[in-house]
């Protein structure tokens, strides 16, 4: 099954289960997201009122972010696990599947997040310091930035390599009921000999996601010059990002599931 056939199959599954997906994402992503915005706003306003540096409240802001992820992880896991079902999902089934695989997938994502996060940070550092170096020259010398960019590109290769190799780990963990490390090993086996094809699929999906994002963001882009209130502008931008996440994230999970089923044959 080629890329567009996989995408077409994923779209059919998405439409079939749209109401259930929307309900799960609204309950476990949208509502916590909105509550989190209000809580973060209250924390920052308290910092301003008390004339305290915002970084003193970093722990609270980080805690809100962690709680938000722990809640919406249930939605992601439930959708991911339910996507293996041949029949139409129900809200109860998605919730049940989310609970069933919650901690195993959470452990997997934490492990992969730490490893890939460290690699990503290592890759970003050279271009960051290169940018600072160019700014220090008043923008007259771009050599530090270009040098840092080149080094960052080279250092980000391990991140791309491992991300691609480990793409199917959560799917193997659920479908084959493996452990965390066994699922990583299984993903390596599936991608072996198909690494470039896997990366190509990821890049194509990323390009399509960017195109869809631009199209769905057009109303916001059009009315943006007409909005004079920064508050209204921020609200509309936030709602636009929220809608994009509600639509794009579930179909991405389903698409990679179909890739997994196709590639493991």
């Amino acid at each position: 099954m080629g890329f567009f056939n996989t995408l077409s199959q994923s779209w059919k599954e998405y439409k079939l289960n749209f109401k259930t997906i929307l309900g799960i994402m609204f309950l476990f992503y949208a509502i916590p997201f909105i509550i989190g915005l209000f809580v973060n706003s209250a924390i920052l306003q308290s910092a301003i009122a008390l004339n305290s540096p915002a970084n003193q409240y970093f722990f609270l802001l980080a805690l809100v972010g962690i709680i938000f992820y722990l809640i919406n992880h249930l939605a992601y896991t439930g959708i991911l696990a339910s996507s293996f079902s041949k029949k139409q999902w129900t809200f109860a089934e998605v919730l049940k599947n989310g609970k069933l695989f919650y901690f195993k997938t959470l452990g997997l994502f934490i492990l992969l997040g730490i490893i890939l996060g460290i690699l990503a940070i290592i890759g970003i550092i050279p271009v960051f310091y290169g940018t600072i170096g160019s700014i220090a020259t008043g923008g007259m010398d771009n050599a530090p930035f270009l040098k840092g960019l080149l080094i960052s590109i080279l250092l980000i290769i391990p991140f791309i390599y491992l991300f691609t190799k480990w793409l199917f780990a959560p799917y193997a963990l659920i479908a084959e009921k493996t452990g965390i490390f066994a699922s990583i090993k299984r993903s390596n086996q599936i991608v072996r000999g198909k690494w470039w094809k896997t990366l190509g699929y990821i890049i194509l999906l990323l390009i399509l996601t960017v195109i869809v994002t631009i199209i769905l963001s057009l109303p916001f882009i059009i009315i943006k010059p007409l909005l004079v209130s920064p508050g209204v502008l921020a609200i509309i931008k936030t709602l636009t990002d929220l809608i994009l996440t509600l639509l794009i994230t579930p179909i991405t999970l389903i698409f990679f599931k179909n890739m997994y089923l196709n590639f493991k044959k």
Side-chain angles (χ1 to χ4, degrees):
M1 186 182 294
F3 175 84
F4 289 103
N5 286 334
T6 303
L7 185 63
S8 175
Q9 177 63 30
S10 303
W11 177 245
K12 290 177 182 177
E13 294 176 27
Y14 177 80
K15 288 194 298 182
L16 179 65
N17 298 286
F18 177 74
K19 290 183 179 180
T20 300
I21 291 172
L22 187 63
I24 286 288
M25 290 294 289
F26 182 78
L27 183 61
F28 293 100
Y29 183 89
I31 292 178
F33 178 84
I34 294 170
I35 294 174
L37 286 179
F38 282 110
V39 173
N40 284 341
S41 177
I43 292 172
L44 292 174
Q45 287 178 5
S46 297
I48 295 172
L50 297 174
N51 197 27
S52 302
N55 57 12
Q56 292 185 4
Y57 293 83
F58 174 79
F59 175 77
L60 289 176
L61 294 172
L63 182 62
V64 171
I66 291 172
I67 293 173
F68 170 67
Y69 176 77
L70 291 176
I71 294 173
N72 62 59
H73 179 76
L74 182 66
Y76 296 151
T77 302
I79 291 172
L80 194 157
S82 299
S83 68
F84 287 98
S85 174
K86 299 297 183 182
K87 58 185 179 63
Q88 190 172 3
W89 322 335
T90 65
F91 188 94
E93 287 171 344
V94 176
L95 192 58
K96 179 182 178 181
N97 287 329
K99 293 178 180 178
L100 182 62
F101 295 102
Y102 182 87
F103 289 105
K104 287 184 70 174
T105 54
L106 181 63
L108 175 64
F109 285 138
I110 289 174
L111 176 62
L112 298 184
I114 291 173
I115 297 172
L116 295 175
I118 292 173
L119 292 176
I121 292 171
I122 292 173
I124 292 171
I125 288 175
V127 72
F128 174 76
Y129 280 104
T131 302
I132 293 176
S134 293
I135 293 174
T137 65
M140 301 298 292
D141 185 7
N142 290 325
F145 168 75
L146 295 175
K147 182 179 179 181
L149 179 61
L150 178 60
I151 296 174
S152 286
I153 291 173
L154 293 174
L155 290 177
I156 209 68
I157 290 175
F159 170 87
I160 296 172
Y161 176 76
L162 290 178
F163 178 86
T164 304
K165 292 234 354 161
W166 296 344
L167 178 66
F168 300 126
Y171 298 93
L173 184 146
I174 290 174
E176 303 177 30
K177 295 180 172 56
T178 63
I180 291 176
F181 293 101
S183 69
I184 296 173
K185 182 179 179 180
R186 177 61 176 144
S187 182
N188 289 338
Q189 293 172 346
I190 294 171
V191 175
R192 186 177 299 126
K194 303 185 186 75
W195 188 89
W196 284 106
K197 184 177 181 180
T198 305
L199 180 62
Y201 274 41
I202 294 172
I203 293 173
L204 282 174
L205 184 64
L206 181 60
I207 292 172
L208 286 177
T209 300
V210 171
I211 293 173
V212 170
T213 299
I214 293 173
I215 293 173
L216 294 180
S217 299
L218 280 177
F220 171 76
I221 296 172
I222 293 171
I223 66 173
K224 183 178 178 180
L226 305 177
L227 299 174
V228 293
S229 171
V232 174
L233 187 65
I235 291 173
I236 294 178
K237 177 65 168 61
T238 299
L239 289 176
T240 301
D241 292 342
L242 178 60
I243 292 171
L244 287 171
T245 301
L246 291 175
L247 295 175
I248 292 174
T249 301
I251 196 170
T252 300
L253 293 172
I254 296 171
F255 177 85
F256 287 141
K257 179 268 300 186
N258 286 325
M259 270 184 68
Y260 160 79
L261 292 176
N262 183 35
F263 280 27
K264 78 169 188 171
K265 293 178 181 178

